[in-house]
Amino acid sequence: MRTVNVRASREYNVLIGKDAVTALGSETAKLCPAALKALIVSETNVAPLYLDKVRNSLEEAGLNVIDYVFEAGEQNKNINEIAGMWNRMAEAGFTRTDLVIGLGGGVTTDMAGFAASTFLRGINVIQIPTSLLAMVDASVGGKTGIDIPKGKNQVGAFWQPLLVVEDISFLKTLPDEVFTEGMGEVIKHAFIMDTELFDKLQNAGGNIRDDEDLLEEIVYMNVADKARVVNEDENDNGLRQTLNFGHTAGHVIERDSGYTKPHGICVAKGMGIIIDACVRAGTLDENEAKKMKDLLKLYKLPTEDEITPEQIVSGAMNDKKKRGDTLSVILVNKIGKAEIRKMTAEEFLKFLSV
Ligand SMILES: NC(=O)c1ccc[n+]([C@@H]2O[C@H](COP(=O)([O-])OP(=O)(O)OC[C@H]3O[C@@H](n4cnc5c(N)ncnc54)[C@H](O)[C@@H]3O)[C@@H](O)[C@H]2O)c1
Ligand SMILES: [Zn+2]
């Protein structure tokens, strides 16, 4: 088992390994000895596979366990489900020392975290991510939230977990296309901050799924990268913004599709678009750019989209990530090195169109 220690406003561990979930009960008892009850939040795809395993581990540690299982899918990442979780805990007499367990992909961990952050003004949450994306990104760093009709993740809170348990064997049941989506964020980490990860992915030749040891190592490297960023800039005022590489254009593509195109796919397209723009603007060497796009293709991710620069800019100006009249655009100057550049709408349009 590997451990990444996150030192944000709260310090906690991310445990990564095959069968990591077997450590859940004993770790929980150690970390919150006063807890008597736990609510497992999960969804209809994941619960039949793993809920009993998680429940058993918690019950062995003496906890009284209840669950809340919602219909899988981003369309259910909303306030009604959160209210369902609050009511379930209230009816079961939860107190401030009890806890929430998020068991699922990023939709689940975002919602479980948000329900925990608001119930009784905040109770502990332990995250058990089951998708690649949730392991390398969503469950680490304390961003929680839900969607509203006006947009994704528009309501939420920063709420760091008490512990994150990443059981690599859970990835075996992840559908191939969902795994590929998660690779978008993995490759993003390689591009913005991790040349060693880049080389490892390149050497693996496009398949990291069948070798569990390699997969564990790659998940570990990604969690360590994310933790490094969060430790330095928990509240997203500086360095953490580099994690948005590819996301400015990606979000617009995602929104324009009515959220039918998966996030990781849109981010890959967004990265491809920015990589091309960086080359044209002279901030990225052509060979580096080719290596980057080849890596995306190696992992079956797209690097292009028919969206126009005008559409990207007008969409981005409506996005929550704009600050004042400028956008923080993330560039990569060479593999492993990102730069945050403030641009006005006009400058961004020129950057994309040159
Ligand atoms: N908080 C953050 O920092 C952060 C960062 C990135 C993304 N997110 C959020 O994460 C969400 C996307 O995450 P996601 O891609 O994991 O979506 P998801 O939770 O919808 O999971 C994707 C699909 O995989 C299925 N699944 C998950 N684990 C499985 C397993 N082990 N076996 C079989 N099926 C499994 C799910 O049921 C679902 O159908 C978005 O809502 C996004 O906003 C949050
Ligand atoms: Zn993302």
Side-chain angles (χ1 to χ4, degrees):
M1 185 117 70
R2 297 166 198 251
T3 304
V4 175
N5 184 245
V6 183
R7 288 176 303 280
S9 48
R10 156 187 248 177
E11 186 174 346
Y12 57 96
N13 284 335
V14 183
L15 308 181
I16 302 157
K18 285 170 257 177
D19 299 319
V21 79
T22 52
L24 176 67
S26 55
E27 286 293 319
T28 306
K30 221 179 347 177
L31 289 167
C32 43
L36 299 173
K37 302 186 179 94
L39 173 77
I40 303 175
V41 171
S42 193
E43 36 92 319
T44 46
N45 292 339
V46 172
L49 298 167
Y50 305 115
L51 191 116
D52 281 347
K53 214 170 179 177
V54 171
R55 187 204 310 277
N56 291 344
S57 183
L58 292 167
E59 283 179 349
E60 273 164 26
L63 283 155
N64 185 342
V65 183
I66 59 170
D67 59 62
Y68 183 92
V69 178
F70 62 94
E71 184 79 32
E74 182 79 34
Q75 72 278 11
N76 297 313
K77 193 175 158 185
N78 60 44
I79 192 65
N80 299 335
E81 300 297 343
I82 298 292
M85 295 167 206
W86 289 331
N87 289 331
R88 194 97 180 75
M89 289 189 276
E91 281 157 15
F94 271 48
T95 69
R96 296 206 57 193
T97 48
D98 293 325
L99 77 151
V100 174
I101 313 280
L103 172 69
V107 168
T108 307
T109 55
D110 273 14
M111 282 212 285
F114 185 55
S117 78
T118 41
F119 188 73
L120 299 179
R121 299 196 180 82
I123 65 172
N124 280 320
V125 62
I126 293 178
Q127 300 289 19
I128 310 181
T130 62
S131 72
L132 180 63
L133 185 143
M135 286 186 187
V136 302
D137 195 355
S139 69
V140 180
K143 283 192 185 176
T144 74
I146 52 168
D147 306 333
I148 56 174
K150 262 302 214 191
K152 270 186 66 172
N153 299 323
Q154 293 291 294
V155 177
F158 282 99
W159 193 246
Q160 299 292 344
L162 181 69
L163 173 74
V164 183
V165 179
E166 311 206 339
D167 195 320
I168 298 298
S169 11
F170 285 5
L171 292 174
K172 279 189 195 138
T173 53
L174 198 65
D176 276 337
E177 66 277 14
V178 182
F179 190 91
T180 298
E181 289 159 37
M183 284 306 296
E185 305 284 0
V186 168
I187 292 175
K188 178 195 76 182
H189 287 149
F191 286 173
I192 63 170
M193 63 189 296
D194 196 339
T195 51
E196 202 188 320
L197 176 62
F198 186 98
D199 293 342
K200 217 169 256 303
L201 292 171
Q202 202 174 41
N203 293 337
N207 184 9
I208 58 165
R209 267 203 101 159
D210 300 338
D211 180 343
E212 257 199 357
D213 291 331
L214 176 66
L215 186 54
E216 179 180 321
E217 192 180 357
I218 284 173
V219 169
Y220 169 77
M221 291 171 88
N222 276 275
V223 172
D225 285 340
K226 176 107 193 228
R228 194 142 56 91
V229 172
V230 170
N231 289 348
E232 201 167 307
D233 176 29
E234 179 175 0
N235 295 323
D236 212 355
N237 296 316
L239 184 69
R240 192 164 182 171
Q241 290 174 39
T242 59
L243 295 172
N244 286 328
F245 181 57
H247 281 59
T248 307
H251 276 150
V252 180
I253 298 169
E254 195 178 356
R255 194 167 46 204
D256 284 0
S257 78
Y259 297 101
T260 55
K261 288 185 187 157
H263 178 74
I265 302 296
C266 297
V267 170
K269 290 172 170 219
M271 289 194 286
I273 290 169
I274 299 293
I275 290 168
D276 285 346
C278 286
V279 173
R280 288 194 303 268
T283 63
L284 176 68
D285 177 81
E286 206 164 326
N287 290 329
E288 290 273 290
K290 183 174 179 317
K291 275 174 72 182
M292 290 166 77
K293 286 170 71 173
D294 283 349
L295 190 71
L296 286 165
K297 289 176 197 156
L298 190 60
Y299 285 88
K300 302 187 180 58
L301 285 159
T303 58
E304 281 164 17
D305 190 83
E306 58 276 6
I307 194 163
T308 65
E310 288 76 14
Q311 285 169 321
I312 294 173
V313 175
S314 74
M317 291 314 284
N318 289 321
D319 198 88
K320 68 174 167 141
K321 297 226 157 64
K322 72 175 183 190
R323 307 207 169 198
D325 289 322
T326 59
L327 288 159
S328 294
V329 181
I330 313 305
L331 315 182
V332 165
N333 298 326
K334 61 176 188 183
I335 294 166
K337 188 163 182 336
E339 178 197 340
I340 306 171
R341 199 179 283 188
K342 299 244 183 276
M343 295 188 196
T344 62
E346 296 71 36
E347 284 164 346
F348 190 35
L349 183 62
K350 185 155 174 269
F351 172 73
L352 291 171
S353 326
V354 171

